[in-house]
Protein backbone atom coordinates (compact mmCIF):
# COMPACT_ATOMS: atom_id res chain seq x y z
CA UNK A 1 0.00 0.00 0.00
CA UNK A 2 1.40 3.37 -1.05
CA UNK A 3 2.08 5.78 1.74
CA UNK A 4 1.67 8.72 -0.62
CA UNK A 5 -1.02 9.55 -3.16
CA UNK A 6 -0.67 11.91 -6.12
CA UNK A 7 -3.54 13.60 -7.95
CA UNK A 8 -4.08 16.30 -10.55
CA UNK A 9 -2.55 14.69 -13.60
CA UNK A 10 -4.21 14.80 -16.99
CA UNK A 11 -4.04 15.97 -20.57
CA UNK A 12 -2.95 19.54 -21.24
CA UNK A 13 -2.03 21.47 -24.35
CA UNK A 14 1.48 22.85 -24.88
CA UNK A 15 1.88 26.08 -22.96
CA UNK A 16 -0.71 25.04 -20.41
CA UNK A 17 -0.48 24.42 -16.69
CA UNK A 18 -1.42 21.75 -14.18
CA UNK A 19 -1.24 21.54 -10.42
CA UNK A 20 -0.33 18.20 -8.90
CA UNK A 21 -1.10 17.37 -5.29
CA UNK A 22 0.52 14.89 -2.94
CA UNK A 23 -0.94 13.63 0.34
CA UNK A 24 0.55 11.13 2.76
CA UNK A 25 -2.17 9.93 5.14
CA UNK A 26 0.08 7.35 6.79
CA UNK A 27 2.93 9.68 7.59
CA UNK A 28 3.59 12.49 10.05
CA UNK A 29 4.87 14.88 7.45
CA UNK A 30 7.04 17.06 9.68
CA UNK A 31 9.30 14.04 10.17
CA UNK A 32 9.96 13.76 6.44
CA UNK A 33 11.32 15.47 3.39
CA UNK A 34 9.11 15.22 0.32
CA UNK A 35 10.33 15.11 -3.25
CA UNK A 36 8.68 15.34 -6.64
CA UNK A 37 9.99 13.17 -9.47
CA UNK A 38 8.98 12.22 -12.97
CA UNK A 39 9.67 9.40 -15.36
CA UNK A 40 9.08 9.58 -19.09
CA UNK A 41 8.90 6.42 -21.22
CA UNK A 42 12.37 5.00 -21.82
CA UNK A 43 14.02 7.46 -19.44
CA UNK A 44 15.30 7.31 -15.90
CA UNK A 45 13.30 8.76 -13.05
CA UNK A 46 14.50 12.29 -12.35
CA UNK A 47 14.18 14.56 -9.36
CA UNK A 48 12.33 17.85 -9.88
CA UNK A 49 11.91 19.53 -6.52
CA UNK A 50 11.85 18.78 -2.83
CA UNK A 51 10.89 20.30 0.49
CA UNK A 52 12.08 19.67 4.01
CA UNK A 53 8.74 19.70 5.83
CA UNK A 54 10.06 20.82 9.22
CA UNK A 55 11.60 24.03 7.90
CA UNK A 56 9.98 24.55 4.52
CA UNK A 57 13.39 24.61 2.82
CA UNK A 58 12.79 23.97 -0.88
CA UNK A 59 14.96 23.44 -3.92
CA UNK A 60 14.52 22.67 -7.61
CA UNK A 61 16.35 20.85 -10.35
CA UNK A 62 17.91 23.30 -12.79
CA UNK A 63 15.85 21.79 -15.61
CA UNK A 64 12.58 22.99 -14.07
CA UNK A 65 13.58 25.99 -11.97
CA UNK A 66 11.34 28.90 -12.88
CA UNK A 67 8.87 26.60 -14.63
CA UNK A 68 7.63 24.45 -11.73
CA UNK A 69 6.72 25.65 -8.27
CA UNK A 70 6.40 23.59 -5.09
CA UNK A 71 4.07 24.79 -2.37
CA UNK A 72 2.63 23.49 0.86
CA UNK A 73 -0.75 23.63 2.53
CA UNK A 74 0.04 22.67 6.10
CA UNK A 75 -3.57 22.68 7.20
CA UNK A 76 -4.36 20.04 4.59
CA UNK A 77 -1.01 18.23 4.81
CA UNK A 78 -0.77 18.60 1.06
CA UNK A 79 2.26 19.31 -1.09
CA UNK A 80 1.62 20.81 -4.49
CA UNK A 81 3.70 20.99 -7.63
CA UNK A 82 2.55 23.67 -10.04
CA UNK A 83 3.58 22.86 -13.61
CA UNK A 84 3.66 25.87 -15.90
CA UNK A 85 4.36 26.47 -19.59
CA UNK A 86 4.30 22.77 -20.28
CA UNK A 87 5.74 21.26 -23.43
CA UNK A 88 5.60 17.78 -24.89
CA UNK A 89 8.91 16.88 -23.22
CA UNK A 90 7.21 17.33 -19.84
CA UNK A 91 4.92 14.37 -20.53
CA UNK A 92 5.67 11.75 -17.89
CA UNK A 93 4.39 9.99 -14.82
CA UNK A 94 4.93 12.33 -11.87
CA UNK A 95 5.62 10.90 -8.44
CA UNK A 96 5.94 12.22 -4.94
CA UNK A 97 8.14 10.43 -2.47
CA UNK A 98 9.25 10.75 1.13
CA UNK A 99 12.41 10.17 3.11
CA UNK A 100 12.92 10.57 6.85
CA UNK A 101 14.15 14.03 7.76
CA UNK A 102 17.92 14.01 8.00
CA UNK A 103 18.25 17.28 9.85
CA UNK A 104 19.86 18.79 6.80
CA UNK A 105 18.35 19.47 3.39
CA UNK A 106 15.77 17.61 1.39
CA UNK A 107 16.78 15.24 -1.41
CA UNK A 108 16.00 14.68 -5.07
CA UNK A 109 18.00 11.46 -5.15
CA UNK A 110 15.74 8.59 -6.18
CA UNK A 111 17.80 6.08 -4.21
CA UNK A 112 17.33 7.96 -0.93
CA UNK A 113 13.52 7.99 -0.95
CA UNK A 114 11.77 5.50 1.32
CA UNK A 115 8.12 5.81 0.35
CA UNK A 116 6.59 6.41 -3.08
CA UNK A 117 3.21 7.16 -4.52
CA UNK A 118 1.87 5.34 -7.56
CA UNK A 119 2.23 8.39 -9.76
CA UNK A 120 0.06 10.75 -11.77
CA UNK A 121 0.20 10.77 -15.56
CA UNK A 122 0.75 14.12 -17.25
CA UNK A 123 0.34 14.20 -21.02
CA UNK A 124 1.18 17.34 -22.96
CA UNK A 125 -0.28 17.17 -26.42
CA UNK A 126 -2.33 19.05 -28.99
Amino acid sequence: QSQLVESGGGLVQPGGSLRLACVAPGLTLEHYAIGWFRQAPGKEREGLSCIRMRTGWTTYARSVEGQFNLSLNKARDTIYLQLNNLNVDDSAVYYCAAKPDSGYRCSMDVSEMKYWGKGALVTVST
Side-chain angles (χ1 to χ4, degrees), residues 6-11 17-22 36 81 83 120-122:
E6 304 92 344
S7 61
L11 175 64
S17 298
L18 281 176
R19 188 177 75 163
L20 306 180
C22 173
W36 281 99
L81 188 68
L83 315 178
L121 178 63
V122 172

Side-chain angles (χ1 to χ4, degrees), residues 5 28 86 90 97:
V5 180
T28 302
L86 289 164
D90 295 313

